[in-house]
Amino acid sequence: MNLDEKKKILKEKGYSLTFQRIAILEYLENCKTHPSVEMIYEELRKKYPVFSKATIYNNLQVLKNLGLIWELEIESGKVRFDGNPEFHPHFLCKECGKIFDLYVGEESKKFPQEIEGYRVEEIRINYYGICSQCRKKRK
């Protein structure tokens, strides 16, 4: 889902295309580090000094609830955000702490709506280990 599609959904659902929402969507579209609220706040405040953490947090919740972004709870007690709302697994490096998107074939794109009569609302697949960059440093 690209930025224009996300804007269209916001409008269709009755939400204003505020500069804050657009700035957050644009940032997440271009950021592949799966930032936290604090990281988003620090980065966007450089360009928009009027941003507050509450503004960031509240808009992230709206975007998440509309399915335009993904909220990750891959680390205990820490929340990160992904601008790609399509279903895909994530990998957390236990050494450097970076989070990576994984695409392990067509199977990773399937999101069942129902399994044996149970309605599926969310699936989280997280992998943990050592990323290729950290593995190279070990050698």
Side-chain angles (χ1 to χ4, degrees), residues 16-120:
S16 301
L17 294 179
T18 63
F19 88 91
Q20 293 96 332
R21 287 188 184 125
I22 301 307
I24 292 167
L25 283 171
E26 287 174 346
Y27 176 73
L28 288 174
E29 184 96 2
N30 297 313
C31 180
K32 303 302 177 200
T33 60
H34 304 84
S36 65
V37 172
E38 291 78 19
M39 295 161 85
I40 297 168
Y41 169 72
E42 290 300 323
E43 198 58 39
L44 289 179
R45 231 182 114 198
K46 294 174 187 174
K47 189 174 182 181
Y48 307 105
V50 296
F51 270 74
S52 68
K53 278 189 187 176
T55 298
I56 302 286
Y57 180 79
N58 291 335
N59 279 288
L60 287 169
Q61 294 309 305
V62 167
L63 298 172
K64 178 191 83 163
N65 291 338
L66 291 174
L68 303 178
I69 62 171
W70 216 6
E71 183 180 80
L72 304 175
E73 295 178 40
I74 193 168
E75 297 174 272
S76 181
K78 295 182 182 177
V79 176
R80 303 287 196 100
F81 293 90
D82 189 342
N84 178 2
E86 294 179 21
F87 178 70
H88 60 279
H90 292 91
F91 180 92
L92 172 66
C93 179
K94 296 195 289 188
E95 284 195 18
C96 67
K98 290 181 183 175
I99 300 169
F100 302 91
D101 290 333
L102 291 181
Y103 299 97
V104 290
E106 288 302 310
E107 287 299 311
S108 71
K109 294 181 181 178
K110 293 182 181 177
F111 184 99
Q113 300 301 310
E114 190 174 305
I115 299 174
E116 296 182 14
Y118 298 99
R119 183 173 153 227
V120 178

Side-chain angles (χ1 to χ4, degrees), residues 134-139:
C134 289
R135 288 179 67 200
K136 285 178 188 174
K137 289 178 189 175
R138 286 180 163 187
K139 292 181 180 180

